[in-house]
Amino acid sequence: MRHLLHIQLRTAEGAVIRALGLIERRGFRIETVHAGEAQGDGQAMTVTVSGERPADLLQRQLERLHDVLWVDRPDEAVQWGGQDSTHTTTSGARPFTSKT
Amino acid sequence: MSLLQQDKSHDAAPRSGSRRMIDALKRNGVKHIFGYPGGAIMPLYDALVDSGLTHYLCRHEQGAAFAADAYGRVTRRPGVCMATSGPGATNLVTGIANAFMDSVPMVAITGQVPSPLQGTDAFQEVDIFGITLPVVKHSYVVRDVAEIDALVDEAFHVATSGRPGPVLIDFPKDISVELSSDLRERPLERFEAPEPDAEAIRAAAEMLATARRPLVIGGGGIAISDSVAAFREFVRRYRLPVTTTLKAMGVIPTDEEGFLGMLGMHGNEAANHAVQNCDVLMVVGGRFDDRVTGKLSHFAPTARIIHMDIDPAEVAKLRRPDIAIVGELTPALEALERHADRHDAAPRVADSWARQCAAWRKEFAWRYDAPGEGIYAPRLLRDLSRHGDQPPVIACDVGQHQMWVAQHCRFTDPLQHLTSGGLGAMGYGLPAAIGAKIANPDAMVVNVSGDGSFMMNVQELATLKRYGIDVRIVLIDNSMLGMVRQWQKLFFDGKYSEVDLSDNPDFSRVAEAFGIRARSIGRPEQVDDALDWLLGPDGPALLHVKIDPEENVWPLVPPGSANHQMMGTGGPRQFDGMMT
Ligand SMILES: Cc1ncc(C[n+]2csc(CCOP(=O)(O)OP(=O)(O)O)c2C)c(N)n1
C-alpha cells in the first residue's frame, strides 16, 4: 500500500532525518521525499511511503516526535487501526479516541 | 528570521555555557548527577565544583546512565547523567535505550568536540546525536550559548510530560566555555494531556457494565503517571480481577485477593488462563509487549479490548482495541467511575467468573516444596521480600533471577520493583540500586543479581564503597547464564553454547576487595540466618548464594506460542461457566 504524507516540521537540527528514520524503522519504504525550504520556524516535507502496516499508526508515531507539528494524509480518511491484520474483533465496534 | 532569534534579551553578568548549564539544571530541581569526566566535558566538570550539585562518580558511564534511570523512576523527575564525548557518550547509549524502552524521564548530557572540529573525525568525536536518534524521546545539539537556559527547560519538560523518556543534550566544548550575557528565548509549547473523550468513556463504561468475565491488565504506565491510587480504587470498588505486566508488579499489593499474578511468558497460569477466557479486557497503561501477549493472534481471543494510554501511538499498534481512551490514566479512571455512578452502570463480574478466577488463583499458587538438596532461589526471594514489615525496593538484573523476583517477591507498590523490562539489559541491577537508594535514602534497597549480570557492572561496587551507599546485594549464582542455558536446553536440543560460568571468580572475595562485607551460602538451612545478616543494621553487603545450575523458570510460554500453551504446567484451561 502506498501512502502520501504531508509532514510539518519545526526548523530544528535533526528534524528531517528523525522523521525519515522513524518511517523506515517502523516498517515502511520511502518512495519519494520532497523537503521544502525551511521558512522561519517551520519546514514542510512531502513523503510517499509504501508498506503493509497501518498508515494511521505511522501518522501517530510521527506526530509523537517533538519536532513534528502535524501530519496529514490527504488521500486517506482518518481511521483507527483500519488495516490491522493481526486480529479482527467480533464486535465490529469502531474504537473511539481523542487525538492530541 | 526564525522565531528563536527574535527575543534576544540580556542577562545581568556574562556566564559561560557551562555555568548556564549548571544553573539551568538547578533551576529544574536537579540535586544529584551521575557521571564520568573527560576532555570534551571538562568545562562542565569545572563548573560543577562548588555548584551545590552532588555528583556521583560511577565507574563506567553505563553505570551512570542506569543509576540515573532508576533515580528517574523513583522520583518521577529526570535522572541526570553526563559523560564526555566519544567513548563516554557511546557508553551511555545502553542506559539511554533502557530509559526509552521503559518510558523513564532522563536527561543525558554529553560533551562534544568543539563546533569547528565537528565533522572532521576529531579525537573522541562521535555523532552521539545521530547514534541515539531512535532511542531518545528528543535530543539537542547546543549551538548557541544564549539558548542554553531555555533549551534545558524544554528538555526537562519533554522528558517528563506525557509519556516520559530520555532527552539527550550534546554540548560542544567551545560553547561550554563561551562567555555571554545574551539570553535567547525558545517558545516552549507545553504538552497538555487530552481530556478523556466523553464518548469513549461512555462506550467503555457500557462495555464493562455488560461484561460477564471482565479482566484488567495493569501496565507500567500506572506507576509512571502516579495513578496507583486511582487504579486501586477502581479495581477494588468493582472487585475486578487483575493481572499485571512485569513493570506493573505492585500496582495492587501482590498479596491481595483479586490479584492473579503477572501474565505473559513467565506469568502465573491463573493470569494467563484468565486473559485467554475473559470477555472484556481493560488494559491500563500497557503496550501489548510480545513477552506479555505471547502469540498475538491468539491473545485474549474471546475478549473485547478497552485500551487506556497517554500515548496515541500505542493504540492499535499491536492489538486493535474496541475502545481507546487516550489521556492521563487517573482522570480517565475517575471519569469511568463517575459515568458508572450516574448511569447506574457499574462494571459487572459474574459470580461464576469471580469464583473461577479465585479457583485458578488457588490452584496455581506458587509452591515451594521443590525437590533437591540445595537452596531453592524462589523460596529465598520470597523470604527476602517478607523479611521486614515493608517489602524492600528490589533492583533486578536480567535472567532467571529476574523472573523469580517478579513471580515470588511481595510488592505493595510498583516503585519497589526496578527492572529492565523493555530492553532487558543485564547489568542494570547494581547501578539501578545505587540510583534508587540516592533517590529514596530511607528505603531498604536490595540488588538481586545473577552471576552473569553482576559482572557486567561489577565496578559499581567501588561507587557503593566510596559514597557509603547502603545497598544490599543478593547474588544468585548458578554458574551459568541461566536463562540462555534454559532456552538451549528446551529449544536447542540441550546443546549448550557459551553459557558455562563455572570458573566464576570468588564473589565474596571480589566484594571484600572493594571493601564490601560478604558471605557465601549454599545450603537451605543457612538462608534464614544469612538474610538476617544481609538485611541487618550493618550497611552494604553482598550475599553470595550458590544454587543448582540446572534450575529452570516455570511456567514458560515458548516463543511463538499462545499464552495458554505453557510448559511446566497442567495444560490449557477453559472457563466452562459451570463453576458454582
Ligand atoms: C547486556 C545483555 N547481554 C545479553 C543478554 C542476553 N541474556 C538474557 S538472560 C542472560 C543470562 C543471564 O545470566 P545471569 O545474570 O547469570 O542470570 P540467570 O539467568 O542465571 O539467573 C543473557 C546472556 C541480555 N539480556 N543483556
Side-chain angles (χ1 to χ4, degrees):
Chain A
M1 276 275 273
R2 261 174 173 257
H3 310 278
L4 175 66
L5 303 168
H6 289 325
I7 305 172
Q8 184 65 28
L9 300 167
R10 240 184 268 275
T11 305
E13 185 163 353
V16 169
I17 202 77
R18 210 187 287 270
L20 292 176
L22 182 144
I23 291 170
E24 287 197 337
R25 211 168 52 251
R26 294 292 186 180
F28 291 84
R29 212 172 54 230
I30 296 169
E31 304 282 354
T32 69
V33 183
H34 176 80
E37 192 181 339
Q39 298 202 326
D41 252 15
Q43 180 170 19
M45 185 161 69
T46 303
V47 187
T48 47
V49 304
S50 60
E52 299 312 309
R53 296 187 182 183
D56 66 306
L57 177 59
L58 177 65
Q59 175 173 356
R60 279 175 276 132
Q61 288 168 332
L62 282 165
E63 283 170 342
R64 186 165 66 166
L65 295 177
H66 185 70
D67 287 338
V68 172
L69 298 173
W70 49 259
V71 179
D72 192 23
R73 288 181 296 129
D75 295 350
E76 293 159 81
V78 176
Q79 55 165 286
W80 281 79
Q83 297 124 34
D84 185 350
S85 57
T86 54
H87 184 85
T88 22
T89 53
T90 46
S91 68
R94 181 184 179 280
F96 299 97
T97 185
S98 61
K99 276 200 56 172
T100 30
Chain B
M1 194 174 73
S2 104
L3 242 192
L4 296 180
Q5 284 158 5
Q6 283 168 10
D7 323 76
K8 271 208 179 180
S9 57
H10 284 274
D11 202 4
R15 291 176 299 153
S16 70
S18 293
R19 178 85 261 154
R20 284 163 184 262
M21 182 66 78
I22 297 286
D23 290 347
L25 293 176
K26 288 166 75 173
R27 194 176 56 249
N28 280 281
V30 175
K31 301 212 162 36
H32 305 110
I33 299 180
F34 305 90
Y36 208 99
I41 203 165
M42 283 179 69
L44 191 56
Y45 271 84
D46 183 60
L48 190 64
V49 178
D50 301 327
S51 66
L53 292 173
T54 305
H55 177 274
Y56 291 90
L57 180 76
C58 294
R59 295 309 169 88
H60 187 296
E61 290 86 353
Q62 184 182 103
F66 283 155
D69 168 301
Y71 187 95
R73 287 182 207 233
V74 172
T75 60
R76 296 196 185 86
R77 293 290 305 160
V80 178
C81 54
M82 61 195 216
T84 194
S85 67
T90 52
N91 276 349
L92 286 180
V93 171
T94 303
I96 295 171
N98 195 64
F100 182 73
M101 292 293 278
D102 282 351
S103 310
V104 178
M106 173 188 283
V107 170
I109 304 167
T110 47
Q112 182 53 279
V113 302
S115 314
L117 287 184
Q118 270 187 277
T120 68
D121 310 311
F123 177 64
Q124 295 194 329
E125 181 190 2
V126 298
D127 175 14
I128 195 65
F129 181 85
I131 287 173
T132 54
L133 275 177
V135 293
V136 293
K137 183 171 175 193
H138 193 53
S139 48
Y140 305 90
V141 185
V142 184
R143 293 295 182 198
D144 179 353
V145 65
E147 73 174 358
I148 291 174
D149 303 68
L151 183 152
V152 173
D153 290 351
E154 184 177 293
F156 275 75
H157 177 69
V158 172
T160 46
S161 58
R163 180 180 182 172
V167 174
L168 176 94
I169 303 176
D170 199 25
F171 196 17
K173 191 172 185 178
D174 54 321
I175 297 182
S176 72
V177 297
E178 188 180 335
L179 279 171
S180 164
S181 52
D182 287 348
L183 270 184
R184 185 197 277 178
E185 302 291 326
R186 290 171 74 95
L188 176 57
E189 279 164 45
R190 298 218 150 252
F191 171 87
E192 302 282 349
E195 286 294 309
D197 181 75
E199 186 54 23
I201 292 291
R202 182 195 59 74
E206 276 173 18
M207 189 178 282
L208 283 166
T210 54
R212 291 192 50 76
R213 307 189 307 278
L215 180 70
V216 179
I217 298 182
I222 297 169
I224 293 170
S225 63
D226 202 3
S227 299
V228 172
F231 181 78
R232 287 182 183 177
E233 151 76 18
F234 187 83
V235 298
R236 283 175 179 161
R237 179 159 179 204
Y238 306 114
R239 297 172 169 277
L240 294 163
V242 176
T243 168
T244 66
T245 66
L246 177 67
K247 271 186 67 195
M249 294 298 299
V251 294
I252 69 168
T254 49
D255 285 344
E256 193 160 310
E257 220 179 282
F259 182 58
L260 300 171
M262 179 175 78
L263 83 159
M265 180 174 271
H266 289 292
N268 189 289
E269 278 177 88
N272 281 343
H273 291 319
V275 175
Q276 294 307 88
N277 285 280
C278 66
D279 67 353
V280 171
L281 182 61
M282 178 161 133
V283 180
V284 183
R287 59 180 179 84
F288 297 85
D289 182 79
D290 53 281
R291 289 298 193 259
V292 166
T293 61
K295 188 174 177 148
L296 190 60
S297 55
H298 290 51
F299 177 71
T302 50
R304 289 176 297 163
I305 309 274
I306 301 169
H307 189 183
M308 300 169 111
D309 204 289
I310 192 145
D311 183 358
E314 285 303 339
V315 174
K317 181 178 80 175
L318 291 159
R319 171 75 178 255
R320 178 182 185 232
D322 296 85
I323 297 164
I325 303 173
V326 176
E328 290 284 359
L329 298 179
T330 294
L333 289 163
E334 288 171 353
L336 265 180
E337 267 187 77
R338 268 198 311 277
H339 188 280
D341 283 349
R342 259 191 229 130
H343 298 83
D344 201 13
R348 286 211 359 236
V349 184
D351 288 347
S352 57
W353 178 241
R355 277 195 297 274
Q356 175 68 81
C357 289
W360 278 331
R361 185 175 190 268
K362 200 163 151 212
E363 179 180 358
F364 300 114
W366 302 115
R367 295 178 54 171
Y368 297 93
D369 51 353
E373 313 266 280
I375 292 174
Y376 186 50
R379 187 190 184 105
L380 177 140
L381 291 169
R382 180 198 65 176
D383 295 349
L384 168 79
S385 72
R386 282 160 209 277
H387 192 270
D389 302 339
Q390 270 295 311
V393 172
I394 296 183
C396 264
D397 271 288
V398 171
Q400 294 179 311
H401 62 281
Q402 177 191 31
M403 293 299 107
W404 285 327
V405 163
Q407 291 176 334
H408 305 289
C409 286
R410 175 172 70 121
F411 297 107
T412 56
D413 187 291
L415 297 184
Q416 290 161 349
H417 183 221
L418 302 170
T419 197
S420 171
L423 193 65
M426 292 169 68
Y428 177 71
L430 179 57
I434 290 172
K437 182 69 187 181
I438 291 165
N440 186 1
D442 295 334
M444 168 63 81
V445 178
V446 181
N447 163 221
V448 175
S449 191
D451 48 320
S453 297
F454 191 64
M455 292 290 275
M456 288 219 173
N457 275 315
V458 66
Q459 77 286 344
E460 299 310 326
L461 287 174
T463 314
L464 270 196
K465 181 63 187 172
R466 166 176 288 202
Y467 301 101
I469 300 165
D470 187 2
V471 165
R472 319 293 171 98
I473 302 162
V474 177
L475 176 47
I476 309 275
D477 175 6
N478 51 11
S479 305
M480 285 278 182
L481 295 174
M483 186 59 97
V484 180
R485 182 205 56 75
Q486 178 172 350
W487 279 47
Q488 289 177 350
K489 175 102 183 165
L490 297 173
F491 310 124
F492 292 85
D493 299 327
K495 201 165 85 191
Y496 288 172
S497 175
E498 302 297 328
V499 289
D500 179 277
L501 297 180
S502 55
D503 56 351
N504 269 324
D506 179 335
F507 286 113
S508 289
R509 285 176 57 201
V510 169
E512 282 163 0
F514 281 94
I516 309 287
R517 66 201 172 98
R519 210 189 242 198
S520 261
I521 59 171
R523 294 194 316 278
E525 63 273 16
Q526 296 174 300
V527 169
D528 286 350
D529 187 49
L531 288 178
D532 288 342
W533 170 84
L534 177 74
L535 302 172
D538 295 335
L542 180 144
L543 178 63
H544 172 224
V545 184
K546 289 285 277 183
I547 66 161
D548 180 353
E550 298 284 328
E551 195 63 68
N552 291 322
V553 182
W554 301 119
L556 179 151
V557 179
S561 297
N563 271 355
H564 61 271
Q565 296 166 325
M566 301 189 86
M567 298 173 76
T569 70
R573 298 299 157 96
Q574 206 143 35
F575 175 62
D576 55 13
M578 300 302 280
M579 289 292 295
T580 48

